[in-house]
Amino acid sequence: MASRRLWQGVDLEVGRGERLAVSGPSGVGKSLLLRALAGLDALEGGEVWLRGRPQSSWPMPQFRAEVMYLLQRPAPASGTVSAHLAEPFGFKIHAGKSYRSEDAARLLEHLGRPSTFLDQDAARLSGGEAQLVALVRALLLSPTVLLLDEATSALDAETAELAETLLQTWLDTGPARALVFVSHDRAQQERFATRIQLLSGVGA
Amino acid sequence: MSVPISLFQVVLAAALMGLSVLLSWRLRLGLGRDILIAGTRMTVQLLLVGLILGWVFALRSPWPILGIGLVMTVLAAQAAVGRTKGRYPGIFLDAFAAIFGSSFILTGLALSGILQIRPWFEAQYAVPILGMVLGNTLTGVSLAQDRFTSDLGVGRSAVEERLALGATRWEAAHDTVQTAVRTGMVPTLNSMAVMGLVSLPGMMTGQILAGASPGVAVRYQIVIMFVIAASSALGSLGAVLLAYRALLDSRDRLRGERLGK
């Protein structure tokens, strides 16, 4: 990372059930903000808090099991979609959870994919399908906060709306869940956000 | 003992080089300069080494041998890092530690434990064996390091994706570590597979040329190959683990920015 300071004095709070959109011009550091919230990039100053506890006092796997960040472009996967979805259940932090393909099939169905989709070769997914799989993979782990970095950018309008509905269901079913997202689709932002956080660069 | 070679005979062999220079000139390959430089370099380096070794052999003390070993290790680490594209601060020290640790431990074990050379630092054995082990370990270390850093650069999102889903740094990078160590081992395994069939190893042929019986030479070669394989494995693993520690921090973050562009 360059030593250029992207933003400062950002003070945001996300409450239960909220769908916060982070908005701002390209290069202002929206991704960086989300990555910092997930603890994937260090902040030069400041602190991220989760339920009254600073990030620095959380073991990171535990923190990220709750605050999950989805990359804009999912990494290439191998094996079947099902195997790819099951992979994170092998991490120690998710030891208490178990992967059930029925759950995965149900989520995929909400996104308009048949259950045969689970047996597909994960390496041959299109960009949009890979985004769907990444979304399902995160939802199966039932995080508390989802950080979506243009996570539906490659979906067609119809599927994107299905994804929004699915996310809303996820928000409604958990005790205290929240969503923070970055989207270049202005319509999606207007339609889906309960609040918009404008990010402006230093000196902008 | 082998037949001694006079300086005149060496010059005669050098004339053979002239043949390739001539070919290069006729076919306009533009290699003439490179061939001459490489040939001259090789000659000067080896003559120097011959002088130094002759001097060291006469001393019968472990210190000059260790000194030579250390210089060889530094050169090996430099060569290993030189072949690695993705570098991070401290990579040279890591390469040095990996090569030094594995080569010295295994050469020491081979000399004192297996071959039971007394004293263990007997230059006639220590220097050539350490040299062979270093040369092969260096290849393993550089391949493993290169693979690991480039995988973390290209496959960065796969590792980071796992981190983002709650993986520890070890869970996230485990398969990358595995691939890198395996890559470091490949040349040794390949050369072992064809040894004696396609290639006659240099040390064995050397011993035979020097008058040893093929049976003894073969056994030496087998011992040396196992030592080399073990050292390559240990060195590759060490280098990758050190790179892992440098590039994934204790907060389970991938520090891609440490990989210089």
Side-chain angles (χ1 to χ4, degrees), chain A residues 81 85 89 98-115 117-118 129 131-143 146 155 159 161-171 173 177:
Chain A
V81 168
L85 291 173
F89 286 89
S98 54
Y99 172 71
R100 297 192 315 162
S101 56
E102 308 94 85
D103 294 344
R106 190 171 42 78
L107 291 178
L108 283 168
E109 200 186 327
H110 283 299
L111 295 168
R113 307 289 138 165
S115 58
F117 189 72
L118 284 176
E129 287 172 324
Q131 286 192 334
L132 286 184
V133 170
L135 182 62
V136 169
R137 193 149 93 128
L139 287 177
L140 283 171
L141 298 167
S142 50
L146 262 184
L155 302 179
T159 316
E161 287 194 33
L162 287 176
E164 287 165 27
T165 315
L166 183 64
L167 284 167
Q168 186 56 56
T169 318
W170 163 74
L171 280 170
T173 44
R177 289 173 167 170

Side-chain angles (χ1 to χ4, degrees), chain A residues 10 18 53 55 57 59 62 88 101 120 135 159 165-166 175 187 190:
Chain A
V10 175
E18 268 200 283
R53 217 176 123 192
Q55 193 185 59
S57 79
Q62 196 188 339
S101 56
Q120 272 193 30
L135 182 62
T159 316
T165 315
L166 183 64
E190 305 275 300

Side-chain angles (χ1 to χ4, degrees), chain A residues 35 39 55-56 58 60-61 64 68-69 74-75 87 91-94 137, chain B residues 156-158 160-168 171 251-254 257:
Chain A
R35 292 172 55 85
Q55 193 185 59
S56 51
W58 287 79
M60 283 325 284
R64 295 195 192 116
M68 233 170 241
Y69 170 77
E87 191 206 353
F91 303 156
K92 205 162 41 173
I93 193 70
H94 300 303
R137 193 149 93 128
Chain B
R156 192 182 153 162
S157 55
E160 207 153 52
E161 207 171 49
R162 289 188 206 118
L163 289 174
L165 293 175
T168 61
E171 287 169 331
R251 295 297 288 159
D252 299 286
R253 276 187 304 233
L254 185 61
E257 82 279 3

Side-chain angles (χ1 to χ4, degrees), chain B residues 32-106:
Chain B
R33 225 179 97 91
D34 292 338
I35 295 174
L36 281 178
I37 290 176
T40 314
R41 242 190 99 143
M42 185 268 290
T43 311
V44 171
Q45 283 172 355
L46 287 183
L47 285 176
L48 265 175
V49 167
L51 275 178
I52 295 172
L53 286 185
W55 171 68
V56 168
F57 277 34
L59 280 178
R60 313 201 58 82
S61 149
W63 298 112
I65 312 242
L66 286 176
I68 286 187
L70 225 53
V71 171
M72 282 159 79
T73 312
V74 169
L75 293 177
Q78 224 157 28
V81 173
R83 294 184 206 164
T84 306
K85 281 184 285 305
R87 294 176 206 167
Y88 56 88
I91 189 172
F92 174 76
L93 263 183
D94 284 358
F96 177 81
I99 296 176
F100 177 81
S102 57
S103 302
F104 274 65
I105 288 174
L106 282 151

Side-chain angles (χ1 to χ4, degrees), chain B residues 106 110 114-115 128-129 132-133 135-137 185-196 199-204 207 217-234:
Chain B
L106 282 151
I114 300 170
L115 298 174
I129 290 181
M132 280 185 289
V133 172
N136 287 280
T137 308
M185 283 295 294
V186 164
T188 307
L189 294 179
N190 282 349
S191 79
M192 281 169 96
V194 296
M195 191 147 285
S199 69
L200 279 182
M203 185 187 74
M204 192 178 102
Q207 279 187 303
V218 161
R219 281 190 201 182
Y220 262 93
Q221 188 61 41
I222 293 173
V223 168
I224 253 340
M225 274 323 288
F226 284 136
V227 175
I228 283 174
S231 177
S232 291
L234 197 67

